[in-house]
Amino acid sequence: QKYGYFHCKDCKTRWESAYVWCISGSNKVYFKQFCRKCQKGFNPYRVEAIQCQTCSKTRCSCPQKKRHIDLKRPHRQELCGRCKGKRLSCDNTYSFKYIV
């Protein structure tokens, strides 16, 4: 699981996601994510390891994170190529909140 940055070239929407699934040891993306406006599938234009930007660890106890992530915000299952149309969502199987 990696952190990805997305850009829809059609409607200029940008988004980020902690639910980017890559082949182990690489940045090759398995599943596209869909633009919420156009419903077109995109791979991220940039992918990085999920780690704290303050201490560079995957698990940390830093009181404040640099990246703005709302842990209460639900995973958009209908826009995720991995769990779209399935009963079990990505955030139920493996969640960003347990990593950072």
Side-chain angles (χ1 to χ4, degrees), residues 4-47:
Y5 298 84
F6 296 84
H7 179 223
C8 175
K9 294 172 180 70
D10 295 337
C11 68
K12 310 293 189 239
T13 300
R14 291 183 182 271
W15 70 97
E16 298 176 13
S17 175
Y19 297 95
V20 176
W21 303 94
C22 296
I23 294 173
S24 184
S26 76
N27 284 343
K28 185 170 169 63
V29 178
Y30 268 125
F31 303 98
K32 294 179 185 286
Q33 287 195 7
F34 297 88
C35 174
R36 63 183 168 84
K37 291 183 181 177
C38 304
Q39 295 297 310
K40 293 182 182 175
F42 291 96
N43 281 326
Y45 64 86
R46 189 171 117 209
V47 174

Side-chain angles (χ1 to χ4, degrees), residues 31-88:
F31 303 98
K32 294 179 185 286
Q33 287 195 7
F34 297 88
C35 174
R36 63 183 168 84
K37 291 183 181 177
C38 304
Q39 295 297 310
K40 293 182 182 175
F42 291 96
N43 281 326
Y45 64 86
R46 189 171 117 209
V47 174
E48 61 186 40
I50 296 176
Q51 60 186 17
C52 176
Q53 292 183 323
T54 303
C55 69
S56 298
K57 293 181 182 176
T58 53
R59 290 182 175 90
C60 74
S61 57
C62 293
Q64 190 170 7
K65 314 283 187 227
K66 285 185 182 179
R67 184 175 284 136
H68 299 285
I69 295 173
D70 183 358
L71 297 177
K72 294 176 185 155
R73 189 173 181 182
H75 177 51
R76 296 287 301 268
Q77 190 171 355
E78 75 278 7
L79 301 176
C80 174
R82 182 176 188 244
C83 62
K84 185 177 186 175
K86 295 181 181 164
R87 257 189 243 171
L88 201 57

